Amino acid sequence: MIARQGRSLTMETLNPNVKAVEYAVRGPIVLKAVEIEKGLQQGMKRPFEEVIKANIGDAHAMGQQPITFLRQVVALCTCPELLESPAFPEDAKIRARRILQGCGGKSLGSYSDSQGVDCIRKDIAAYLERRDQGVPANWEDIYLTTGASDGIMSILKLLVSGQGLSRTGVMIPIPQYPLYSAAISELEAVQVNYYLDEEHCWALDVNELRRAYWEAKRYCNPKVLCIINPGNPTGQVQSRKCIEDVLHFAYEEKLFVMSDEVYQDNVYSPDCQFHSFKKVLYEMGPEYFDSVELTSFHSTSKGYTGECGFRGGYMEVINMAAEVKAQLVKLLSVRLCPPVSGQAAMDVVVNPPQQGEPSYPQFLKEKMLVLSALAEKAKMTEEILNKVPGIKCNPVQGAMYAFPRIFIPPQAIEEAKALGMPPDMLYCLRLLEETGICIVPGSGFGQKEGTYHFRMTILPPTEKLKVLLEKLSAFHIKFLEEYAALQEPSR
């Protein structure tokens, strides 16, 4: 018998699209942080006692407490025998019974329809009508997803086609959430960057959209426009006027709009308000509302619940052709269904306790505690960072992150180039190794040439966040002094 030579799957034979995928939020900095953390656990000496992970919007990992009512409903759905227990409130039991009634065999362990459990889809439609003050929502336009990411990927799969000049171009904001660039690489679409205006609090300027669109027309077919509102990593909240301008542009150029609205409950600036793209589209009149193709996304992972691990989410699909919808259902059926426990968690997000129900006072107290703490931390982060020479941080109007601009001395830029890494990657690696703080370099999100940033979450508890910001401030000043000293001419 001849011995088999070598492997079928090697780096040379690996799908090149997989090699092209990059996801900075869990990239090399985070891998290094995990390595350092393991070293600390094994007694390795470092100038710090713990690694503070401010790289990802994982609320519970950062110490945020779960919303009691959500966990009660999911617990009742998971262990229906608890429905007999007097320890659980009646409003939680009513919701759990309704969800279980919609599950095969009245069990959370059964598959649901690929689109999701019908009663949960109906609850989402009712929530959307309340949120958008009466704008109609059809439950059959709602699809449950495995977090928002799964929905975004599914819609992009439908949209990407063509070769050469006809290959689909996907317009994404820069800075962006790396899911988008990763999905575009994996699907071999063409990434079309439009730049947010840092000088005006990361505003979206429709003239910049036009520039990016017409430039891209020379080498691809730009037909998808992705929006993140409130912004990740930039934390801006778009004005109603801005959204109307964007939708008018999409209408003019027949663009498919993907609106990532997972941070819709995370608005902190008193001057800002969340406006859904769907509501603004409706208010623009039937000419727009009946023709612009729009899919919006939401999730259990953000907001005030922060239930990332349940992987719950949904998308609402507007003005999609019936025969294309059938293809979407076919595509979704390949993965059978989203986790039904995640669907149950999503149901509680859209159907929380109402005034007059027994759980309402505790629910409202817990919700406001989370959101007021986030608002306080958003303000504190902006104020502390803006006191540091060489750091400029725009107001964190919403979402869960700050994305400050940092000055990096020319000598450090040269050193980074010699090491074959972006300058802000060098900065973040040095910060991690000297302070134990794990943040993500701005180069992982995209930024204008010649500018440098980092993204950090505002999720750690207030006291820990204060320590993080103080350590970061001291590191930055030391970093500037060190490279300034290297630049001084020898005497």
Side-chain angles (χ1 to χ4, degrees):
M1 187 169 127
I2 300 169
R4 178 175 167 172
Q5 297 295 309
R7 298 175 187 273
S8 297
L9 183 60
T10 65
M11 285 303 290
E12 286 69 41
T13 62
L14 181 71
N15 182 338
N17 297 338
V18 173
K19 280 198 251 185
V21 168
E22 290 187 7
Y23 189 65
V25 173
R26 295 197 175 194
I29 297 275
V30 184
L31 296 176
K32 183 71 178 172
V34 170
E35 182 190 311
I36 290 172
E37 206 166 32
K38 285 179 180 169
L40 287 170
Q41 288 164 2
Q42 290 162 9
M44 191 179 287
K45 294 297 174 195
R46 290 272 180 179
F48 47 86
E49 292 178 357
E50 65 169 337
V51 171
I52 303 176
K53 289 179 183 167
N55 61 295
I56 195 165
D58 190 350
H60 292 194
M62 294 284 105
Q64 183 178 307
Q65 293 305 299
I67 297 294
T68 302
F69 187 76
L70 186 147
R71 289 298 181 90
Q72 287 174 329
V73 174
V74 175
L76 289 163
C77 289
T78 307
C79 299
E81 58 270 27
L82 294 175
L83 287 162
E84 305 307 315
S85 168
F88 288 80
E90 192 55 37
D91 47 357
K93 290 178 180 178
I94 289 168
R95 284 163 176 77
R97 287 190 191 103
R98 184 163 180 270
I99 292 166
L100 288 171
Q101 197 68 38
C103 295
K106 297 183 182 177
S107 170
L108 215 60
S110 59
Y111 289 128
S112 74
D113 289 344
S114 299
Q115 303 96 310
V117 176
D118 280 357
C119 69
I120 297 176
R121 295 167 74 199
K122 289 173 182 174
D123 284 347
I124 292 167
Y127 158 77
L128 291 170
E129 290 191 353
R130 287 195 309 274
R131 183 198 69 183
D132 293 339
Q133 298 167 313
V135 176
N138 180 352
W139 70 273
E140 292 183 312
D141 291 338
I142 312 279
Y143 300 81
L144 276 298
T145 57
T146 308
S149 308
D150 169 50
I152 290 164
M153 195 69 182
S154 297
I155 295 297
L156 284 174
K157 282 179 183 174
L158 295 182
L159 286 159
V160 175
S161 65
Q163 295 299 326
L165 290 175
S166 68
R167 190 65 176 166
T168 298
V170 182
M171 301 180 69
I172 64 171
I174 297 296
Q176 54 106 19
Y177 177 51
L179 162 70
Y180 291 92
S181 53
I184 289 165
S185 294
E186 189 177 335
L187 297 171
E188 276 191 289
V190 179
Q191 181 173 317
V192 178
N193 296 339
Y194 65 88
Y195 290 87
L196 302 176
D197 185 355
E198 184 170 11
E199 301 309 311
H200 294 90
C201 207
W202 299 111
L204 198 172
D205 180 1
V206 77
N207 291 321
E208 169 60 11
L209 285 181
R210 286 196 183 94
R211 178 208 63 76
Y213 175 82
W214 286 108
E215 211 169 272
K217 289 281 276 186
R218 301 204 307 264
Y219 55 85
C220 70
N221 175 23
K223 65 179 185 182
V224 187
L225 174 58
C226 298
I227 309 285
I228 310 173
N229 180 47
N232 174 10
T234 45
Q236 88 287 7
V237 179
Q238 289 174 14
S239 68
R240 192 196 178 286
K241 171 72 168 64
C242 169
I243 294 170
E244 193 170 315
D245 289 346
V246 169
L247 287 168
H248 182 71
F249 169 72
Y251 171 81
E252 282 179 331
E253 306 302 345
K254 296 184 173 59
L255 296 174
F256 189 108
V257 180
M258 297 175 64
S259 183
D260 181 339
E261 299 176 343
V262 301
Y263 296 100
Q264 59 189 262
D265 287 313
N266 300 106
V267 177
Y268 315 122
S269 171
D271 304 325
C272 295
Q273 183 185 343
F274 170 75
H275 301 276
S276 77
F277 267 65
K278 183 191 172 190
K279 182 172 188 281
V280 175
L281 187 64
Y282 182 81
E283 290 168 348
M284 289 170 74
E287 184 183 355
Y288 291 88
F289 190 65
D290 295 340
S291 61
V292 174
E293 296 158 282
L294 168 69
T295 300
S296 51
F297 306 89
H298 196 17
S299 164
T300 59
S301 302
K302 310 303 175 186
Y304 54 87
T305 54
E307 294 282 9
C308 303
F310 276 115
R311 307 308 300 131
Y314 72 80
M315 57 185 176
E316 183 186 22
V317 177
I318 307 291
N319 291 324
M320 184 178 278
E323 57 272 28
V324 178
K325 264 188 167 181
Q327 294 296 311
L328 173 60
V329 173
K330 179 183 76 174
L331 182 65
L332 296 175
S333 69
V334 173
R335 53 87 158 121
L336 297 174
C337 71
V340 183
S341 54
Q343 294 186 49
M346 192 75 246
D347 188 77
V348 184
V349 172
V350 299
N351 186 22
Q354 301 299 309
Q355 200 157 10
E357 291 189 296
S359 298
Y360 181 74
Q362 184 182 0
F363 164 76
L364 187 65
K365 182 183 173 187
E366 291 176 353
K367 174 183 173 180
M368 297 319 295
L369 192 66
V370 171
L371 292 176
S372 60
L374 284 169
E376 179 193 326
K377 290 187 283 188
K379 189 74 181 158
M380 180 179 78
T381 300
E382 176 202 340
E383 286 175 352
I384 292 177
L385 289 177
N386 279 329
K387 287 176 184 169
V388 184
I391 297 183
K392 183 181 183 297
C393 184
N394 272 322
V396 182
Q397 296 173 336
M400 296 177 171
Y401 316 97
F403 195 71
R405 184 169 173 174
I406 50 174
F407 171 71
I408 297 184
Q411 195 81 14
I413 293 170
E414 290 305 313
E415 184 180 324
K417 280 180 184 168
L419 292 167
M421 65 174 68
D424 48 15
M425 173 74 84
L426 171 70
Y427 180 95
C428 291
L429 269 173
R430 286 278 307 273
L431 176 72
L432 173 64
E433 287 168 347
E434 294 178 28
T435 68
I437 295 169
C438 178
I439 56 177
V440 190
S443 48
F445 301 88
Q447 54 199 350
K448 275 193 175 175
E449 190 71 33
T451 69
Y452 307 106
H453 302 79
F454 62 76
R455 189 192 81 162
M456 60 166 282
T457 179
I458 61 168
L459 287 171
T462 304
E463 287 311 308
K464 186 172 276 195
L465 181 63
K466 200 176 283 183
V467 169
L468 182 158
L469 290 165
E470 285 166 359
K471 281 186 169 187
L472 198 156
S473 303
F475 166 83
H476 185 80
I477 290 164
K478 178 171 166 280
F479 186 84
L480 294 185
E481 287 171 349
E482 178 185 327
Y483 284 97
L486 287 173
Q487 279 188 276
E488 285 176 10
S490 55
R491 300 184 181 215

